[in-house]
Amino acid sequence: VQPPEKPLQAEEWNKLREDFQAPEIFEEVMLNSMIRCNSPIDVAKSLLTHLAKRNGDIAYSVLVKYLTLCVHQGQVSEIHDVYDIMKARFKILESGAYNLLIRGLSNSDQWRRALTILEEVKKMMVPSRSSYESCIKAASRHREMKLAFELYDEMLAKDVVPTLDVLQSFFDFSRGMKGAELQRELFGILLYLRENQIYPHKTFMRSIKLWFESIPGGNWRGHLTNIKDSGQCPVCKHQLEDSNLTEEEYSNLSERIIRDVIHGTDTFRKTSPQEFEAFQTFVENRLPFDIVIDGLNVSHIKSRKMQCENLFDAVNCLAKENARLLVLGRKHMLMNSSNWKREIMKEMQNKADFFFAENISEDDAFLLYATLRSGKHCKFVTRDFLRDHKACLTDNLTRHLFRKWQRGHQIALYSSAEGRIFSFVFSQQPAFRYDCVVQTTGDTWHIPYKDVFEEKYSYQVPRKWLCIQQK
Amino acid sequence: MQSANMLLRKIIRISVLPFAAQHGMKKDLFPLSRTLSLSLCLKQDKSCEPSEKLDLDEWKKVMKSGLPEEVSETEPKELSSLAAARETLEMWRLAGRAVPENISEEQLKTFMECPSKSAKKKYLKYLHVKELHKKNEKRKMDEKRERRLEAQASKTDETKKSSFLCLWSRTMDKAYNWRAAQSMIFGQPLVFDMSYEKEMSLREVSNTVRQIVMSESCNRKSVDPFHIHFCNFKEDSLYHREFIQQYKEAWGKLLITVTDQCYTEIFPKDKLIYLTADSPKVMKAFDHDKIYIVGSMVDRSIKTGVSLARAKRLGLQTAALPLEKYLLWSAGAKNLTLDQMMHILLTLKDTADWKKALEFVPKRKYCGFVNQPVKELQKTLDLINTLKLGKRREKVEKQFAKNYPKKYKLK
């Protein structure tokens, strides 16, 4: 339905209503389309008046819709009126109305009232992240940074994830402001980005840069740059953090992989205790390996070719400079078949160690174990993204570790059109020796950023950096 | 012929006018109808002239006036958390969300214990849909009763003469129970493994029990029922509670064997076959000498390998239904519900006809039965797969080429 352009008399509304095919929901449909067309508020008012006269009451859902319209158009006094009416009518409101009220009021000069509503919501439930967002933005817009940060901390404490928008607004509104406390809080946000491996997008990066440069007496200068493969920043000549895991992180990750990925809730789901034990002794007796290969994954590089030939090519390609190889496979590969020729398998077993798991066991788990057990230099070969194994890890921190380790240690093989096999380290070419996260040395900050706003694949890392140094 | 046409046209022309005036066809006949109703409009305009100016804020007055006077007197008391939750629900209902109208104390508690907002929403929607179903059912029952009363009223009280008393359902029950009792002595055992309680949520357990109840009833009604065993059944477990809720007092009179023992303690290991969709072995034919085990588990989140792990641990044989062999699978998981399994196994036992048995697989999951020889079909499937895989690989390569336009490094 098309909403009318001018306020209508009761009779006219009645007529429209009668013409409508489902008169029971006429008001809702009409208000929805008013919201869609952003109709003048007077039209909606006339509909409400008509409704009030006819029924002596207005349903809550209709009031909320009217409120939506008011919020969209920034009609602050109307928002107040609706709030008063709702407040008097109902003991409490639901989250949709609260969100609208907070959003509407926080954009006005009466933004403090939005804060009182937020307090009211907190008594009932955890406020939504958009509510927090509105309040934080309102507070920081009015230069009440302390209040904004209190809300922000509270939000984090309640496990409500802030949007990048909120984080950016902190930098935007703190520009040119003084204060050690404020500076500490903003550094805290940068560290939040670091801990959660979040990369800011270009406009966000610019806000960060401008804020740094605006700190009175701070003498910060920012430059956009690309980091060299060696990990040295071309601007400030600082060496970026190493991409290797620390001893502690490394042992932590290996432990978690054995516990969560291999054993999980039931060792029998992926392997069996006997098999895992046999594999463990096999690996311990032959340590360390340089490259661990997922035999079945690699054997599918080229679909036209026999599977064992693919594997043979890959093994030849990797078996250089006396690298110690371990190929993981399943027992069915040993049966002489059209895809797995016994002679070729024999020949390969001279070049690399082989471990054959049961046909119903998961070989990926063994792959991870053998690589981790061999030490930090060891790489593994598969095109699998290993997402399902990452998902088995129970906490976020370990998942981040896994991703970091995977970035540095996974090799993916691809075949070219000419039939040659190429390899390169997953998602990075060549392997980064430095870690791609927000980092600081005190007088420098290095912040990787995304060129575009959209999300990227989790295994990709941005290649552009913001370098900030203090003169 | 022509004259007839002319006549028809005339009739239409005559009849259109009053019709249009009545229904106010706005588009092409609008000017006409306006002239017709002009005088009426003028009259109306005059009548509402005094209140020409609309008071747009009148609704606020109405809303405020309808309020009880002693608003200031009733200080907003601190609500108890339960009452607050009830209040919130009521507001959600007013806002038009999928929320049940009536909610019991227990359900309210479950609602409050939901760990997240989305879990809460889901639970409420579930209750809402359940409530709708119940209401519909009740409405239908009422209608049926009314119809029956009407039919009774109109019927004359002549009774048919028949050599049987009308005791169908009771006699049938007796016959069924007789058969089930026989199966408990001579029948082929079928085991339900009741050891999955820990893997399931509360709702999954109750779904499981519902499915088992249906399986049991269709088993009882079959020509040659299985002897059903519930193994690993713990007293006072969730399963037990749900069963009592479903069966009520009939739970004690069921003609099945319930035990807390494992199937491996009751039957020889080499006779047991664990049916699981994850099994690498595909069932070829139904074996009347074997004892099949079905895991009593509903897993909405598709936890792969749970029942296979159980069979592996005990060193049992496993088997999967030959779904791929007989059906062109289209969508959905390969795990079937317990009552579907029961139907399939019963049909296999009676007829050994796979096609007939697999009729019980839900139609939405497959496109049709395979009628070509399997080998040929496999060939075409392989072809499709290589085409698909080939394409996918190309895509990945392109993706990489796009991201890393530099030359691949040779290693």
Side-chain angles (χ1 to χ4, degrees):
Chain A
V1 285
Q2 195 66 32
E5 276 154 28
K6 272 189 247 123
L8 299 186
Q9 296 284 350
E11 296 81 29
E12 292 168 301
W13 279 121
N14 259 336
K15 190 166 179 326
L16 272 180
R17 188 174 196 267
E18 273 157 27
D19 289 347
F20 190 67
Q21 56 218 7
E24 319 78 68
I25 55 163
F26 170 73
E27 291 82 26
E28 309 230 343
V29 175
M30 183 51 87
L31 274 165
N32 276 343
S33 81
M34 282 184 198
I35 292 169
R36 204 172 44 241
C37 309
N38 206 14
S39 304
I41 203 154
D42 284 350
V43 182
K45 274 185 184 175
S46 78
L47 177 58
L48 289 196
T49 303
H50 157 63
L51 263 178
K53 270 198 218 151
R54 203 187 57 198
N55 304 339
D57 192 16
I58 295 171
Y60 178 77
S61 57
V62 174
L63 281 179
V64 172
K65 291 215 163 91
Y66 176 64
L67 183 61
T68 315
L69 195 66
C70 297
V71 170
H72 281 188
Q73 302 182 357
Q75 306 271 2
V76 180
S77 69
E78 275 308 299
I79 297 173
H80 280 293
D81 282 355
V82 177
Y83 178 54
D84 289 340
I85 286 171
M86 281 180 155
K87 201 62 204 150
R89 270 278 141 138
F90 307 101
K91 257 189 232 158
I92 58 167
L93 309 182
E94 47 75 62
S95 48
Y98 280 133
N99 278 345
L100 281 169
L101 286 167
I102 289 174
R103 184 140 63 95
L105 293 175
S106 65
N107 281 327
S108 71
D109 47 358
Q110 308 223 23
W111 60 278
R112 283 193 186 272
R113 194 137 185 228
L115 293 181
T116 53
I117 297 179
L118 188 73
E119 288 305 312
E120 208 179 302
V121 178
K122 270 187 239 162
K123 279 185 218 153
M124 233 73 68
M125 56 195 122
V126 178
S128 70
R129 81 179 195 174
S130 71
S131 297
Y132 270 119
E133 189 174 333
S134 310
C135 288
I136 289 175
K137 276 189 176 166
S140 43
R141 196 180 304 119
H142 295 87
R143 302 254 152 172
E144 298 247 6
M145 297 316 286
K146 190 153 178 278
L147 179 63
F149 274 109
E150 265 167 32
L151 287 172
Y152 169 70
D153 290 337
E154 185 184 303
M155 184 176 184
L156 290 188
K158 286 185 175 162
D159 273 337
V160 182
V161 181
T163 55
L164 286 187
D165 228 27
V166 170
L167 302 182
Q168 190 182 344
S169 77
F170 277 121
F171 287 95
D172 284 338
F173 291 118
S174 311
R175 206 174 291 162
M177 281 168 93
K178 226 176 169 172
E181 177 69 11
L182 177 71
Q183 205 163 321
R184 215 174 44 82
E185 293 278 13
L186 286 164
F187 285 164
I189 293 180
L190 290 176
L191 292 177
Y192 175 81
L193 295 182
R194 175 190 168 86
E195 264 149 44
N196 294 289
Q197 296 194 15
I198 299 168
Y199 306 113
H201 47 81
K202 213 171 185 172
T203 48
F204 187 3
M205 178 275 296
R206 230 171 256 142
S207 302
I208 296 175
K209 182 169 178 277
L210 287 176
W211 172 72
F212 265 106
E213 290 172 346
S214 78
I215 301 174
N219 275 332
W220 292 93
R221 279 286 149 270
H223 296 277
L224 305 188
T225 181
N226 289 311
I227 303 289
K228 285 185 201 155
D229 292 343
S230 62
Q232 198 188 41
C233 170
V235 183
C236 62
K237 310 290 181 230
H238 256 292
Q239 187 67 30
L240 291 197
E241 275 176 48
D242 203 275
S243 71
N244 285 329
L245 306 188
T246 64
E247 272 326 310
E248 199 193 335
E249 285 173 333
Y250 198 82
S251 66
N252 201 346
L253 179 65
S254 332
E255 223 169 85
R256 288 310 189 83
I257 294 239
I258 293 176
R259 200 189 72 190
D260 294 342
V261 179
I262 297 175
H263 292 306
T265 52
D266 186 353
T267 315
F268 283 95
R269 276 177 74 173
K270 286 186 174 157
T271 166
S272 67
Q274 297 94 314
E275 191 184 31
F276 185 56
E277 211 169 288
F279 178 68
Q280 271 179 314
T281 35
F282 173 89
V283 170
E284 298 302 322
N285 288 336
R286 288 167 179 77
L287 279 177
F289 297 104
D290 298 316
I291 298 173
V292 183
I293 301 166
D294 183 348
L296 281 169
N297 185 288
V298 164
S299 71
H300 287 285
I301 301 180
K302 273 177 273 178
S303 50
R304 294 279 161 77
K305 236 175 171 182
M306 232 196 295
Q307 286 176 13
C308 65
E309 280 180 10
N310 279 332
L311 185 57
F312 190 62
D313 288 351
V315 168
N316 280 335
C317 165
L318 295 167
K320 279 171 193 157
E321 296 144 21
N322 289 330
R324 286 180 53 78
L325 305 182
L326 168 64
V327 180
L328 293 170
R330 294 214 177 95
K331 286 203 166 139
H332 71 79
M333 291 157 73
L334 288 171
M335 313 279 276
N336 200 11
S337 67
S338 61
N339 258 326
W340 298 98
K341 290 271 175 277
R342 190 163 283 160
E343 311 87 62
I344 300 180
M345 289 301 286
K346 276 258 167 62
E347 207 179 326
M348 267 193 282
Q349 286 182 50
N350 294 328
K351 300 197 174 190
D353 279 312
F354 273 74
F355 182 85
F356 297 98
E358 292 294 332
N359 292 338
I360 52 170
S361 291
E362 284 241 18
D363 46 0
D364 288 348
F366 293 153
L367 180 84
L368 297 178
Y369 176 79
T371 316
L372 281 166
R373 197 63 199 84
S374 293
K376 285 178 178 176
H377 73 288
C378 183
K379 304 238 179 336
F380 63 97
V381 185
T382 179
R383 284 187 302 175
D384 199 304
F385 290 100
L386 304 176
R387 290 190 188 112
D388 46 344
H389 304 295
K390 194 182 78 194
C392 290
L393 296 168
T394 40
D395 63 317
N396 254 333
L397 194 73
T398 323
R399 281 186 205 165
H400 285 316
L401 281 185
F402 182 79
R403 214 139 71 183
K404 189 174 164 185
W405 175 74
Q406 187 187 8
R407 277 205 294 268
H409 293 82
Q410 182 165 6
I411 299 172
L413 288 181
Y414 284 92
S415 68
S416 73
E418 303 96 64
R420 303 175 73 172
I421 289 181
F422 299 106
S423 73
F424 51 89
V425 172
F426 211 62
S427 85
Q428 291 167 19
Q429 202 254 327
F432 289 162
R433 259 177 257 145
Y434 55 93
D435 192 16
C436 198
V437 289
V438 176
Q439 44 192 281
T440 179
T441 59
D443 57 347
T444 63
W445 280 89
H446 286 92
I447 298 162
Y449 68 92
K450 293 183 286 186
D451 227 354
V452 279
F453 188 74
E454 308 104 73
E455 262 318 306
K456 44 160 204 52
Y457 291 109
S458 67
Y459 59 82
Q460 291 172 335
V461 285
R463 317 205 54 181
K464 298 196 168 171
W465 289 75
L466 168 67
C467 161
I468 298 169
Q469 54 176 330
Q470 201 167 24
K471 288 270 159 61
Chain B
M1 190 63 203
Q2 229 181 7
S3 58
N5 258 345
M6 287 294 286
L7 192 72
L8 213 72
R9 248 181 249 161
K10 248 184 204 165
I11 292 171
I12 288 171
R13 210 177 290 157
I14 291 161
S15 58
V16 155
L17 249 175
F19 176 80
Q22 243 171 37
H23 292 261
M25 281 169 78
K26 275 159 205 154
K27 270 184 195 156
D28 30 5
L29 291 157
F30 189 64
L32 234 176
S33 66
R34 192 161 59 174
T35 49
L36 277 176
S37 59
L38 193 63
S39 56
L40 208 135
C41 263
L42 279 171
K43 245 184 230 164
Q44 249 183 10
D45 274 354
K46 244 175 229 163
S47 70
C48 60
E49 222 165 87
S51 65
E52 176 78 305
K53 190 82 190 99
L54 252 173
D55 181 9
L56 288 171
D57 286 332
E58 203 178 337
W59 63 276
K60 289 179 191 162
K61 279 176 223 151
V62 174
M63 288 301 280
K64 280 173 188 158
S65 71
L67 287 173
E69 293 298 313
E70 67 281 21
V71 174
S72 53
E73 184 247 325
T74 50
E75 266 292 295
K77 285 174 285 181
E78 282 300 305
L79 290 163
S80 76
S81 62
L82 220 62
R86 204 174 270 281
E87 206 69 35
T88 318
L89 282 190
E90 177 60 16
M91 292 319 287
W92 281 0
R93 201 177 63 76
L94 288 180
R97 294 218 220 162
V99 168
E101 249 170 76
N102 305 306
I103 188 164
S104 70
E105 203 94 316
E106 206 171 317
Q107 286 167 334
L108 205 61
K109 271 183 196 146
T110 326
F111 162 73
M112 283 162 66
E113 278 159 17
C114 286
S116 66
K117 271 186 190 172
S118 63
K120 280 182 182 165
K121 252 188 231 168
K122 252 184 217 164
Y123 181 65
L124 286 180
K125 187 162 180 210
Y126 157 73
L127 291 180
H128 174 69
V129 170
K130 207 166 124 183
E131 196 176 51
L132 281 184
H133 276 302
K134 239 185 194 160
K135 258 190 207 158
N136 258 340
E137 208 105 295
K138 193 168 179 300
R139 190 177 47 82
K140 271 183 201 158
M141 287 287 273
D142 286 346
E143 275 171 17
K144 209 172 166 189
R145 187 177 312 125
E146 234 161 72
R147 247 180 289 140
R148 202 171 50 221
L149 282 177
E150 263 171 42
Q152 254 176 15
S154 64
K155 211 161 64 181
T156 49
D157 46 0
E158 63 170 283
T159 43
K160 273 188 198 156
K161 276 192 185 142
S162 156
S163 54
F164 299 115
L165 278 173
C166 196
L167 284 172
W168 272 103
S169 69
R170 219 210 288 170
T171 346
M172 288 313 282
D173 276 349
K174 255 191 192 161
Y176 291 148
N177 280 338
W178 178 245
R179 263 194 230 147
Q182 265 190 322
S183 84
M184 282 191 75
I185 307 168
F186 305 111
Q188 181 178 4
L190 178 75
V191 177
F192 283 97
D193 180 2
M194 307 294 221
S195 59
Y196 293 100
E197 209 172 281
K198 279 203 194 104
E199 330 277 347
M200 290 189 282
S201 67
L202 213 67
R203 228 161 101 199
E204 284 171 332
V205 173
S206 78
N207 285 344
T208 308
V209 168
R210 278 272 281 282
Q211 290 179 13
I212 294 178
V213 170
M214 286 200 278
S215 318
E216 189 273 328
S217 92
C218 86
N219 179 59
R220 194 178 348 133
K221 285 170 190 162
S222 71
V223 190
D224 181 17
F226 283 108
H227 175 191
I228 294 180
H229 285 72
F230 291 173
C231 289
N232 294 321
F233 188 91
K234 301 276 174 308
E235 200 77 17
D236 289 324
S237 54
L238 275 180
Y239 281 121
H240 193 179
R241 250 195 286 157
E242 284 290 326
F243 270 121
I244 288 176
Q245 214 175 47
Q246 286 284 325
Y247 276 115
K248 307 262 162 29
E249 53 274 21
W251 170 245
K253 295 180 215 154
L254 282 183
L255 293 168
I256 57 174
T257 302
V258 180
T259 165
D260 60 349
Q261 281 180 304
C262 187
Y263 27 86
T264 47
E265 295 166 48
I266 308 174
F267 303 107
K269 255 190 182 182
D270 55 321
K271 291 228 162 177
L272 291 170
I273 295 183
Y274 212 117
L275 293 174
T276 159
D278 295 321
S279 170
K281 273 191 207 120
V282 172
M283 202 169 154
K284 288 221 174 65
F286 184 86
D287 192 334
H288 295 267
D289 288 332
K290 290 281 198 278
I291 295 143
Y292 290 98
I293 308 168
V294 180
S296 307
M297 176 178 176
V298 168
D299 57 336
R300 287 163 176 272
S301 53
I302 313 288
K303 303 182 187 79
T304 43
V306 173
S307 53
L308 186 65
R310 208 130 308 184
K312 249 161 104 185
R313 184 191 295 276
L314 297 169
L316 300 179
Q317 282 187 65
T318 59
L321 292 181
L323 299 173
E324 299 263 78
K325 192 175 160 191
Y326 291 95
L327 303 172
L328 277 171
W329 203 261
S330 68
K334 297 255 165 60
N335 51 0
L336 302 175
T337 61
L338 300 169
D339 50 312
Q340 284 158 11
M341 271 317 266
M342 181 57 108
H343 276 295
I344 289 171
L345 289 174
L346 280 171
T347 319
L348 281 178
K349 188 155 96 108
D350 291 344
T351 63
D353 181 352
W354 278 106
K355 211 176 153 184
K356 219 168 163 186
L358 294 182
E359 291 275 354
F360 290 101
V361 176
K363 296 271 182 294
R364 65 172 189 281
K365 288 195 176 185
Y366 62 93
C367 334
F369 278 88
V370 174
N371 27 23
Q372 281 167 295
V374 181
K375 250 191 195 167
E376 234 164 80
L377 200 91
Q378 195 59 47
K379 255 191 222 160
T380 49
L381 265 180
D382 278 348
L383 192 70
I384 290 167
N385 274 339
T386 48
L387 282 175
K388 249 199 228 163
L389 278 178
K391 259 196 194 147
R392 201 185 305 151
R393 225 195 45 222
E394 266 172 39
K395 233 198 244 163
V396 171
E397 272 167 12
K398 257 188 212 156
Q399 183 81 38
F400 264 87
K402 217 166 52 187
N403 290 341
Y404 302 99
K406 290 174 211 161
K407 273 180 209 154
Y408 290 133
K409 194 179 175 190
L410 242 151
K411 209 166 182 186

